[in-house]
Every structure is written in C-alpha cells, then in structure tokens.
C-alpha cells in the first residue's frame, strides 16, 4: 500500500508527519512510503535522509493515488475530496471545527483516524499525540517567558548583592502545565501552581513546585480529570487566584478545550495588578484565550494599575511548530505506532474490535463513527449525518475516555477525548490546531 507524507501547507506549520526514523519503521511494515519533496526541511530533515531511509521522494503528492495519507494539521477540503474510496488517513483532525471536511471524508468512503480521539489508556500512550505535543508546548512557553522577563529566573548571590529568583505561577497541571513547572524549576525559578483537581497536588510537588490550594469545591470528573466550573464558581476561582497572580513575575496559563472557547482564568484587572515588567504567557490564545485581551501570535502590553509600567501578555501561537524537530520526532512516532497497530503483511486493516482503533476512528465506510461529531453534523445541517449510523458508531467507538488538550488543565475546564460535552452544545469555532498546542 502507498503511504503519502505531504508537505504541510498551513501557514506557520513546520512539523512533518514522518521522520527518516519512522520511515524505516513504516517501510519495515511493508508499506511503500512516498515523501513530498522538502516535506521535512523545516523540521531539519533533508530529502536525501528520507531517501536513505527507504522512502521515494516525489515532487508533489497526489492524494488520489494514495492508499494512506499521514498528516499533521486537519485536512483541507480539496485534499479530502481528492482521496479515493477506501483510503486511510491518520493525523490531527479537529473534528468539532472541521465538520465540512469530516462530512466529505465520510461521503468519500475514507477511513480517517483522528489522533485527538486516541483513548487515554496505557496501551495507547505511544500513540498519544495530544500529550506529546503538549510536552513541547509546555517547555516552549517557559522559554518565551524567560526571553521577555527583564530579570533572571534563578537566584544569584554575588559580591554586588543577591538577586532573588523569579516567581512563576502555572495555572493548570496537565501535560503542558507539568512540563512548564519542570522547565521553570530547571531554570531556577520559584514555582507554584494551581489546579482544581486535588489529585494534582502530588504531581506539582513531585516536580518541585508548590501547590496553591484554594477554598473551592472539588471539580474532579471520572478518571481523575477535571470538569468545568460553573459561572459563579469560576468567578470565585478568579477572585481567589488574584493575589497569587499579583505576586508572580511570570504567569503561564494552559487551559484549552477542543471545540469550545477556552475558559477565562485571568481578567485584565488581574493582569494590571502584577508588577511592571511581569510576563503572562497564554497557551490557549488560539482558542479564545485564558487571559482577557490576549491575541494569538502577538505581545500585548497592558499598563499596570499603579501606572509605573506594563505587563507583557504573550498570546502563544503554533507552540509545537516553534520547535519542529523534536515536535515532529514525537508526532511521527505517534503516527507510525498507530499505523503499526493496524498493519498486517504490508496492508492496513483496521480491527474495530480493538478499543484503540475503534476509539480513534472518525469515519469509515461512509459513516461518521464518532457519535459526538455525528451529532454535531446533524445539528449543523438539520439532518442525519452521513451513514445515519450513530447508534452503530456508539457501539464501535467508546467516547467516554477522558483526554488532554494542548494542555488539559484542571483549572477551569478539562476536555474529554470524546468531545461529548463540547459538541452536545453544537458546533463552535475552535482553534486551528485544536488539542495540539
């Protein structure tokens, strides 16, 4: 079977769905790997490296000739339309915000796998793209803050005097949040963190941080993940967080929920209460922002309440793409491992009795197999989704496995992998790289 690795064309995307290392793995499965010329250049991989690994380099990838297509960003409509019936796709699909593409994939008879839907179970960890990319994002956001902060992160004791360490506050203790805590600690900062899940306190401590316990009701859902706070509880949360925000030199927020506007954790008034020169990094800026006034891809300077300076609010955009080499290394392994699970004697044959395969499948044989997405399509069009088989899909694709987002913070809302809560309210505008950051 022919497996295509196309060059990502969305602006700002520098990752690639396969590396020379994973090409060897895929070729070893008996797949014929075609890599579009310069597909891996931005991630540090030249065409010759892919060729040496066993891939065929082609000038352009023609989706109509492929049996399998691996991708990073959600497929664009022209690509989805060009795929032949029975083709298989593997990549991030952002189903709640790409409903038109999902409909086309179903109508074309394409078997598509969305890495956002991979179940959160031990056996599927090596295929968990949300966590692997959140790892990159959590690391990157600390570096972005350190570059902008006009002072040191670590403690310095010199003949000229003592420089105290920077104080970093992380809101959300999911994969990205934990990585942010660890990175800030390694840079020498004094780190504290908050999460509405009591179980996260131990995780914060294990990373060397101090857990901030608020006088707030527990909001922990099944599997140890958080549920969204009510409006009045969210307001109380912000009130209780305000003095901790004001006392921080760096604030990092990580709450991003696929298919929905990111929860508001920090108001403009809270930002203005910080000291001049402080830095705020909003990892969820692309999906609406956890910080009031953040703008994706831009630095916004907010005057402090005392009028003595400004606070820099960084709306982080394309965080994993800012570190394309290692982000691609991890992502490509996620893709290759999922394909390896489905490949027998050089042929990709999904076994829908396997919970991992069934859970990750978005469309198959003309049917939208992911029930929440099928419901969203029906709500959008006022008719049944392609295949009208949501009942069957429910049996094949368990959608109650909780999962992370670009970081699955427990601060003001946590996503479930099935997107059920999000999509039950109807389709909404979401971040372009939903669940990736």
């Amino acid at each position: 079977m022919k497996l295509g690795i196309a060059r990502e064309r969305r602006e700002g995307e520098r990752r690639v769905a396969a590396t020379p290392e994973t090409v060897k793995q895929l070729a070893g499965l008996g797949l014929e790997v075609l890599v579009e010329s310069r597909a891996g250049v931005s991630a540090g991989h030249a065409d010759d490296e892919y060729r040496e690994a066993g891939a065929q380099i082609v000038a352009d990838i023609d989706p109509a000739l492929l049996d399998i297509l691996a991708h990073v960003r959600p497929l664009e409509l022209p690509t989805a339309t060009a795929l032949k019936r029975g083709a298989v796709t593997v990549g991030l699909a952002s189903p709640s915000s790409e409903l038109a593409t999902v409909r086309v994939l179903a109508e074309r008879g394409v078997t598509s796998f969305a890495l956002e839907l991979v179940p959160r179970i031990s056996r599927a960890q090596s295929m968990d793209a949300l966590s692997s990319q959140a790892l990159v994002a959590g690391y990157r956001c600390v570096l972005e803050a350190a570059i902008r902060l006009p002072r040191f992160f670590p403690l310095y004791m010199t003949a000229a005097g003592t420089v105290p360490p920077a104080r970093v506050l992380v809101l959300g203790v999911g994969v990205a949040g934990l990585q942010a805590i660890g990175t800030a600690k390694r840079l020498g900062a004094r780190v504290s963190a908050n999460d509405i899940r009591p179980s996260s306190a131990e995780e914060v401590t294990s990373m060397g941080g101090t857990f901030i316990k608020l006088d707030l009701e527990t909001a922990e859902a099944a599997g140890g993940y958080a549920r969204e706070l009510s409006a009045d509880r969210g307001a109380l949360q912000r009130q209780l967080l305000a003095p901790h925000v004001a006392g921080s030199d760096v604030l990092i927020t990580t709450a991003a929920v696929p298919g929905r506007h990111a929860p508001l954790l920090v108001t403009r008034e809270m930002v203005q209460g910080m000291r001049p020169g402080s830095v705020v990094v909003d990892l969820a800026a692309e999906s609406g922002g956890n910080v009031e006034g953040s703008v994706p891809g831009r630095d916004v300077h907010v005057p402090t309440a005392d009028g003595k300076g400004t606070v820099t609010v960084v709306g982080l955009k394309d965080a994993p793409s800012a570190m394309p080499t290692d982000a691609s290394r991890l992502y490509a392994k996620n893709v290759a491992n999922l394909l390896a699970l489905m490949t027998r004697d050089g042929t990709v044959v999904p076994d829908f009795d396997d919970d991992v395969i069934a859970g990750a499948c978005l469309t198959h044989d003309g049917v939208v197999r992911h029930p929440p997405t099928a419901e969203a399509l029906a709500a959008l069009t006022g008719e049944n989704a392609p295949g009208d088989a949501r009942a069957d899909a429910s049996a094949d694709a368990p959608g109650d496995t909780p999962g992370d987002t670009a970081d699955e913070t427990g601060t003001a809302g946590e996503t479930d992998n099935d997107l059920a809560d999000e999509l039950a309210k109807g389709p909404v505008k979401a971040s372009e790289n939903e669940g990736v950051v």
Side-chain angles (χ1 to χ4, degrees), residues 217-230:
E217 69 178 11
T218 299
E220 191 159 358
Y225 292 86
R227 57 179 172 80
E228 187 173 5
L229 294 175
S230 60

Side-chain angles (χ1 to χ4, degrees), residues 247-389:
S248 302
D249 300 302
V250 173
L251 170 65
I252 295 171
T253 65
T254 65
V257 183
R260 288 173 65 182
H261 195 286
L264 178 65
L265 307 183
V266 180
T267 63
R268 181 181 176 87
E269 183 180 0
M270 293 167 69
V271 173
Q272 290 180 313
M274 299 177 76
R275 288 185 292 272
S278 298
V279 178
V280 178
V281 180
D282 187 353
L283 198 57
E286 287 187 281
S287 56
N290 301 142
V291 180
E292 184 178 9
S294 68
V295 180
R298 287 182 53 191
D299 288 8
V300 177
H301 300 282
V302 179
T304 56
D306 59 14
K308 295 181 179 179
T310 62
V311 175
T312 302
V313 177
V314 183
L316 212 56
K317 182 179 181 180
D318 297 323
S321 288
M323 306 195 69
T325 300
D326 284 334
S328 295
R329 182 200 307 273
L330 298 174
Y331 183 83
K333 285 298 290 184
N334 298 145
V335 171
N337 289 337
L338 181 57
L339 283 171
L341 183 64
M342 300 186 289
T343 304
R344 299 290 182 273
D345 300 322
T347 303
V348 173
V349 184
D351 176 9
F352 293 107
D353 289 330
D354 186 307
D355 288 345
V356 175
I357 295 173
C361 186
L362 180 59
T363 65
H364 174 65
D365 197 23
V367 174
V368 178
R369 291 177 61 93
H370 184 236
T373 302
E375 292 169 10
L377 275 169
L380 181 67
T381 61
E383 59 186 41
N384 289 330
D388 192 23

Side-chain angles (χ1 to χ4, degrees), residues 78-120:
T79 301
T81 303
L83 291 167
K84 65 184 180 181
R85 181 167 294 277
V88 175
T89 67
V90 177
L92 294 168
S94 186
S96 63
S97 61
E98 302 288 341
L99 293 174
T101 300
V102 174
R103 174 174 286 279
V104 169
L105 289 171
E107 292 175 344
R108 296 285 299 172
V110 173
T111 298
S112 61
F113 292 92
L115 293 178
E116 299 96 324
L117 305 182
V118 171
R120 310 291 298 198

